[in-house]
Amino acid sequence: MSQLLKGKTALVTGSTSGIGLGIAIGLAKQGANIVLNGFGDHHVAQTQIEQLGVQALYHGADVSKAKDIEDLFGFAESNHANIDILVNNAGIQYVANIEDFPVERWDSIIAINLSSAFHTSRLALPYMKKKNWGRIINIASAHGLVASAQKAAYVAAKHGIVGLTKVTALENATSGITCNAICPGWVLTPLVQKQLDDKAKAQGISNEKATEQLLSEKEPSLQFTTPEEIGELAVFLCSPAANNVRGVAWAMDGGWTAQ
Ligand code: NAD
């Protein structure tokens, strides 16, 4: 097995499930130690990572809170886990027209999907600068590049994180620190399963039919991207071949944003 990232430590926010877990496993397979974060049961994820022969720490910071993120970095430091690779992945969704959008949902989507990446980046960069090496990967979305109705907060946050990615890349452009965004289309995770369940319920159709509709509305390939595929793209962005890939928003969306 290749050990491209042996000796590095990666923090992946929201890595107890879905895409974050797929990325954590992808990086761990390359020898990176992992700091897991997210809600729900973390033991399964932690065991999966440890079985790959690397260290898996866990901190349950609520990344909507700057103070929790500071605690997470303090925890990593006290465990000698200095963050070489930062993957800002934690995210939530809520679907409603703007006039019906609950204010607290707007605030929490902006906090979790956007502001958290500012806080983690500001805390990770000083250490990366000392080493003159670092990777920041922001998990945006096809919704970082184009919009859909009823997703005001999500689309605003994801467009915002694409902007933050470019600024972070530019501020570090002459260093060994790169920052890029990955923009997935549909990935079948708990976040999307909820949207499928809601769609099936609202229209009185089967889950299979709802899946068919969801994919054909947006994604020309008619296929979900998998967390494993996104993990492999993250590994590439951490590799020496990607030393000069800076500030891109890399769509992995079955052709969604090519239309
Ligand atoms: P998911 O629901 O499976 O995972 C989200 C993770 O974030 C979980 O580990 C959850 O515990 C964590 N999380 C949520 N709120 C948190 C908080 N306040 N503090 C810390 N952790 C928190 O969702 P997913 O589909 O894997 O989404 C991961 C990322 O990928 C999100 O940023 C999402 O916007 C993005 N994305 C997903 C899709 C998709 O189709 N699933 C497409 C494009 C982008």
Side-chain angles (χ1 to χ4, degrees), residues 14-20 37-39 61-64 89-92 112 139-141 154 158 184-187 189-192:
S15 43
T16 47
S17 74
I19 294 172
N37 156 259
F39 298 151
D62 175 347
V63 300
S64 69
N89 167 78
I92 58 166
I112 295 168
I139 305 306
S141 166
Y154 190 84
K158 294 299 186 182
W186 292 122
V187 186
T189 64
L191 182 139
V192 166

Side-chain angles (χ1 to χ4, degrees), residues 106-175:
W106 170 275
D107 288 344
S108 56
I109 290 178
I110 299 299
I112 295 168
N113 295 19
L114 176 58
S115 302
S116 69
F118 160 69
H119 293 296
T120 52
S121 299
R122 77 181 165 80
L123 294 168
L125 278 165
Y127 175 75
M128 291 177 177
K129 282 185 176 176
K130 265 191 217 155
K131 280 198 157 177
N132 194 30
W133 195 92
R135 294 288 188 261
I136 300 179
I137 300 174
N138 292 325
I139 305 306
S141 166
H143 284 118
L145 303 170
V146 296
S148 294
Q150 298 200 305
K151 294 188 175 175
Y154 190 84
V155 169
K158 294 299 186 182
H159 275 66
I161 205 164
V162 168
L164 176 65
T165 300
K166 292 175 184 173
V167 174
T168 311
L170 289 178
E171 287 184 5
N172 296 284
T174 57
S175 79

